[in-house]
Amino acid sequence: MRRDAERRIAELRTQIGRNDYRYYVLDDPDLPDAEYDKLMIELRALEAQYPDLITPDSPTQRVSGEPVAAFGVVTHKVPMLSLENAFTDEDVLAFDRRIHERLGSEAEANLEYVAEPKLDGLAVTVIYRDGKLERAATRGDGVKGEDVTANVRTIHKVPHRLKGHPPQVVEVRGEVFMPLKGFERMNRLLREQGEKVYINPRNSASGSLRQLDPRITAKRPLDMFFYALGTVEGSGAEDLPPTQWGLLKAFEKWGLPICPDAAVIKGAAGCLDYFREMAHKRSSLSYQIDGVVYKLNQRADQERLGFVSRAPRWATAHKFPAEEATTSVQKIEFQVGRTGALTPVARLEPVFVGGVTVSSATLHNIDEVRRKDVREGDTVVVRRAGDVIPEVVRVIKHVSDDAPAVELPKRCPVCNSEVIQAEGEAVARCTGGFTCRAQRQESLRHFAGRRAMDIEGLGDKIIEQLVEQDLVKSPADLYTLTLEQLSELERMGEKSAAKLVQAIDKSRDTTLPRFLFALGIRDVGEATALALAQHFGKLDKLLAASADDIQQVQDVGPVVAAHVAAFFASHDHRKVIARLQEEGVRWPDVARPSVAGQPFSGMTFVITGTLDSMSREEAQEALIALGVKVSGSVSRKTRYLVAGADPGSKLKKADEFGVEVLDEAKFVELLKPFR
Ligand code: 5U1
């Protein structure tokens, strides 16, 4: 009996698996739905009878995972690379030229590349052992990702078992994404259910895959294309094809979906032709893309080229330019920011641009409004690039010639205080300071931010209520909030209130650069906060400094020095700082760069790109403790440039100035004796 069941179960799984592949991957089913359902019912019944015969790769198990409290961490044996970007034709020509230079004279004149659309999703890696799906993980920071095996199992196109003869252990990588139709359908459903909708297909793919409950992921229309190889072990590892294109074809044979728009092309000219073709095709594709990727086809050449930091030299992402769309301006309003700056914002007739529906766009400042002559009712072009705030680019048509021009309000639209525009400045400001609700709200938001005091869970909605109800008038009030007060806020359960109290408490232990940044002094970003902290070492010294003293700080000019001095001269600000300290906010003194006896003291380091083993802030803090000056820009005075992934233009600068570059491994090595 059991033997029969075992045999039948195997048969059913093969039949269902074959049909899933035809249905989901080839889009060409050859079994009527009713027949397919019958097979599933029979398989479920047999598995219910013999539960010990259930295996994770059974088609019944696509949606069987239990919710988890948190994702496990997976360390990628082969790091998941990122890609350098090319924005112009010239960048692509330079990419091709660099490859030619490195490969030398024996390289073909027109190198072969594999070109593919660059999907707007999230990178995921899947390991198959003996042909069975064993583990799936997100890219994370490239070295460590999240274990999303149960969720990836729910994606129909991802086979639980590979076909053909894959290597014994094979890791395949690609992009999980949400096709546009599925995205719209899902958002419609979420809206009907009164749930929050996702802003674009990329966020929804990421949000859907990173659900702790795989049953939710199973309901989301996710899809995946595979495009790269990770680790390969055991038998079959040596039989892999010698080209990228061959790999894609092998993936197909194993039953893995690949992008149907991938192609082999020749030379830089071929790349540029492909780019234009995809740009043309973009709006008719069933999925969202933000550019195309070119990869050298010969894998042996890829290996010879290797990678810089964590991006391969043999591949690049050619990005599409920012997207533009036409819409009309319904209203022009002024928003008040943290420092009182009034930003004109155009409320728009909603329009789909750059993958999201945009209903407002910035007009930057009143001078820009005048220059572009934007008026309510006008037809305008809006632009959105990447994740940046959409902006109004230009007016196409005025609503009418005598529509009134936009005037700068004389009084703050939030607190009614006077608005002033200093001579020569483009920005007009509300003079209400902390009495202005908008400024208070924005200051608190900045204060609690991840790079400032890092108070987890203190989001916009909570801040809004705290300010609205006058529970928090200054950042110092955050530290006296009680569990009861927080529990009474809207959308706040007792558990989250307790968590928030804990997070506020935790933020008491901070660093001087973070604290200075958190204060939200005009023009004091992270780099300046760091420079101030390093120069003065102690807050008291900074409080006692004149504008002239402050101007001695590296990279601080007279305007910033005046803002800093004016900030600390304010009696109100001093009171808030004193209260924050009374409430237990504290930090260690910063070692002055001139401290003797430290091997790096007085040296200037610059950090660029993303580090895997620590955040940029942690790296900075470790260096500061050693008396190192950490600067934001590379100059002749820079001793080392620490370059993580995606290092950007600083690497070039370092090259120009002959500054020594430390990759992450070398940097960690350098710090080792002191950690
Ligand atoms: N289509 C595609 N996207 N993408 C992203 N191919 C591709 N390859 C990548 C990445 C990060 O990396 C490989 C070069 C390994």
Side-chain angles (χ1 to χ4, degrees):
M1 271 302 270
R2 186 185 158 86
R3 277 264 188 81
D4 291 344
E6 244 173 299
R7 201 170 311 124
R8 182 64 186 149
I9 284 176
E11 252 170 43
L12 287 166
R13 285 180 187 163
T14 309
Q15 255 178 303
I16 292 168
R18 188 178 153 274
N19 195 68
D20 276 349
Y21 175 70
R22 292 197 67 95
Y23 183 90
Y24 290 110
V25 181
L26 303 182
D27 204 12
D28 179 26
D30 60 357
L31 199 65
D33 286 357
E35 291 296 316
Y36 178 86
D37 291 345
K38 262 197 217 154
L39 297 178
M40 274 301 252
I41 290 167
E42 190 185 345
L43 179 60
R44 278 214 181 88
L46 280 171
E47 287 183 346
Q49 213 177 333
Y50 298 99
D52 59 313
L53 295 180
I54 300 176
T55 55
D57 63 325
S58 171
T60 59
Q61 301 302 295
R62 282 218 183 262
V63 198
S64 71
E66 287 295 307
V68 290
F71 295 114
V73 174
V74 173
T75 303
H76 306 305
K77 275 197 184 156
V78 176
M80 288 184 76
L81 303 172
S82 52
L83 292 168
E84 290 283 1
N85 288 326
F87 295 101
T88 61
D89 288 4
E90 181 43 49
D91 290 346
V92 176
L93 297 178
F95 161 72
D96 179 62
R97 211 164 34 234
R98 279 195 303 273
I99 292 185
H100 268 288
E101 280 163 15
R102 287 197 177 256
L103 290 181
S105 54
E106 74 257 41
E108 288 174 60
N110 274 324
L111 288 164
E112 228 172 45
Y113 292 100
V114 170
E116 287 170 286
K118 186 168 184 307
L119 275 97
D120 236 353
L122 76 158
V124 164
T125 187
V126 187
I127 299 178
Y128 288 89
R129 184 181 296 275
D130 299 320
K132 290 185 209 160
L133 192 162
E134 179 179 79
R135 184 155 315 295
T138 60
R139 176 179 185 277
D141 61 11
V143 173
K144 287 193 172 91
E146 289 169 324
D147 185 339
V148 286
T149 312
N151 293 357
V152 168
R153 276 191 202 285
T154 70
I155 304 175
H156 281 280
K157 276 210 191 154
V158 178
H160 286 187
R161 256 174 192 279
L162 295 182
K163 301 194 300 163
H165 304 285
Q168 193 189 1
V169 180
V170 62
E171 186 177 8
V172 277
R173 293 169 171 182
E175 202 84 359
V176 168
F177 63 98
M178 191 172 284
L180 288 164
K181 279 225 170 83
F183 167 69
E184 280 154 23
R185 207 176 334 113
M186 181 194 74
N187 259 357
R188 206 165 39 240
L189 220 74
L190 288 175
R191 203 171 292 120
E192 278 164 20
Q193 292 163 354
E195 304 266 343
K196 213 170 135 189
V197 296
Y198 285 101
I199 59 165
N200 60 31
R202 203 195 76 76
N203 287 9
S204 67
S206 170
S208 299
L209 191 70
R210 298 177 64 255
Q211 291 284 335
L212 294 171
D213 185 348
R215 286 167 300 196
I216 299 179
T217 310
K219 291 188 190 142
R220 303 287 171 82
L222 291 174
D223 202 338
M224 183 164 186
F225 287 149
F226 288 86
Y227 52 63
L229 201 61
T231 48
V232 191
E233 291 167 20
S235 57
E238 59 295 330
D239 303 331
L240 288 168
T243 60
Q244 175 70 23
W245 185 250
L247 265 187
L248 293 180
K249 292 289 138 186
F251 288 177
E252 263 189 320
K253 273 202 200 128
W254 301 338
L256 297 165
I258 64 162
C259 178
D261 295 291
V264 179
I265 50 170
K266 282 224 161 210
C271 292
L272 298 180
D273 284 347
Y274 181 85
F275 179 78
R276 294 195 216 304
E277 187 189 321
M278 288 314 297
H280 187 68
K281 233 176 145 179
R282 184 182 186 185
S283 57
S284 60
L285 291 175
S286 59
Y287 45 85
Q288 199 176 324
I289 64 174
D290 62 354
V292 299
V293 180
Y294 313 123
K295 293 176 193 165
L296 203 52
N297 196 20
Q298 294 296 332
R299 295 177 59 221
D301 287 346
Q302 294 182 355
E303 215 148 282
R304 278 176 64 197
L305 286 160
F307 40 90
V308 219
S309 197
R310 289 227 332 285
R313 287 201 182 91
W314 44 267
T316 198
H318 190 176
K319 295 297 212 49
F320 291 134
E323 273 199 73
E324 294 186 351
T326 303
T327 187
S328 63
V329 176
Q330 295 173 326
K331 212 168 174 22
I332 294 175
E333 293 175 345
F334 284 83
Q335 268 178 0
V336 185
R338 169 168 61 86
T339 56
L342 260 60
T343 306
V345 175
R347 303 291 174 207
L348 306 167
E349 176 69 36
V351 60
F352 195 71
V353 53
V356 298
T357 302
V358 165
S359 51
S360 53
T362 180
L363 283 157
H364 301 290
N365 56 53
I366 189 70
D367 289 352
E368 278 290 291
V369 179
R370 288 182 189 133
R371 194 176 63 76
K372 290 173 181 160
D373 194 15
V374 187
R375 304 175 192 198
E376 288 182 356
D378 284 357
T379 305
V380 292
V381 171
V382 286
R383 174 192 294 159
R384 184 177 174 275
D387 279 339
V388 302
I389 302 168
E391 61 169 349
V392 173
V393 186
R394 62 181 176 276
V395 173
I396 300 185
K397 197 167 136 258
H398 280 309
V399 58
S400 89
D401 280 341
D402 37 46
V406 176
E407 292 291 341
L408 182 67
K410 291 195 168 40
R411 308 208 74 88
C412 170
V414 177
C415 71
N416 209 32
S417 301
E418 195 190 351
V419 168
I420 52 162
Q421 186 174 16
E423 179 109 4
E425 272 200 28
V427 178
R429 287 172 203 278
C430 153
T431 52
F434 235 67
T435 59
C436 174
R437 195 166 31 79
Q439 288 191 53
R440 226 162 43 216
Q441 215 159 286
E442 290 306 307
S443 303
L444 284 171
R445 195 143 74 121
H446 175 81
F447 184 83
R450 197 177 61 76
R451 281 147 44 189
M453 299 301 276
D454 194 17
I455 306 179
E456 212 182 315
L458 189 58
D460 291 356
K461 289 272 172 276
I462 299 170
I463 291 177
E464 230 175 85
Q465 295 180 65
L466 292 173
V467 170
E468 199 73 51
Q469 297 174 26
D470 263 351
L471 288 169
V472 174
K473 295 201 178 93
S474 95
D477 295 335
L478 286 173
Y479 293 92
T480 54
L481 285 171
T482 62
L483 186 63
E484 292 69 45
Q485 283 173 318
L486 288 173
S487 313
E488 274 167 26
L489 298 179
E490 237 174 73
R491 292 208 222 167
M492 180 72 107
E494 191 136 317
K495 239 180 169 170
S496 3
K499 262 193 171 162
L500 184 51
V501 168
Q502 248 180 21
I504 293 173
D505 183 42
K506 191 167 150 227
S507 76
R508 285 186 163 95
D509 272 308
T510 188
T511 65
L512 183 55
R514 274 179 182 274
F515 181 74
L516 293 177
F517 175 60
L519 291 176
I521 307 164
R522 209 170 130 192
D523 290 337
V524 175
E526 277 175 290
T528 308
L530 184 62
L532 289 168
Q534 289 198 315
H535 186 94
F536 291 100
K538 287 175 185 295
L539 180 66
D540 288 350
K541 292 219 165 103
L542 174 56
L543 289 175
S546 68
D548 280 347
D549 297 334
I550 296 170
Q551 222 183 296
Q552 303 311 309
V553 178
Q554 194 185 18
D555 298 335
V556 171
V559 176
V560 177
H563 288 157
V564 176
F567 183 92
F568 290 119
S570 146
H571 180 65
D572 287 346
H573 291 154
R574 281 183 180 251
K575 243 175 43 192
V576 171
I577 292 169
R579 266 201 62 214
L580 281 164
Q581 289 183 293
E582 278 161 29
E583 293 302 340
V585 174
R586 60 183 171 230
W587 51 84
D589 288 344
V590 175
R592 302 279 299 276
S594 57
V595 174
Q598 300 258 33
F600 309 113
S601 76
M603 289 183 187
T604 304
F605 279 47
V606 176
I607 307 174
T608 183
T610 318
L611 301 171
D612 292 325
S613 54
M614 64 190 101
S615 66
R616 284 258 285 271
E617 292 82 24
E618 283 168 334
Q620 253 176 23
E621 282 158 16
L623 287 172
I624 294 168
L626 292 174
V628 168
K629 241 188 225 168
V630 183
S631 167
S633 52
V634 176
S635 71
R636 281 179 211 291
K637 287 193 200 148
T638 310
R639 177 64 184 86
Y640 291 112
L641 172 71
V642 179
D646 299 327
S649 61
K650 291 201 174 90
L651 208 53
K652 230 191 217 159
K653 264 268 167 66
D655 201 30
E656 258 169 50
F657 291 135
V659 169
E660 195 171 332
V661 178
L662 296 176
D663 64 13
E664 182 163 0
K666 282 196 202 129
F667 176 58
V668 169
E669 198 57 32
L670 187 110
L671 287 183
K672 224 186 214 161
F674 310 99
R675 300 195 92 195

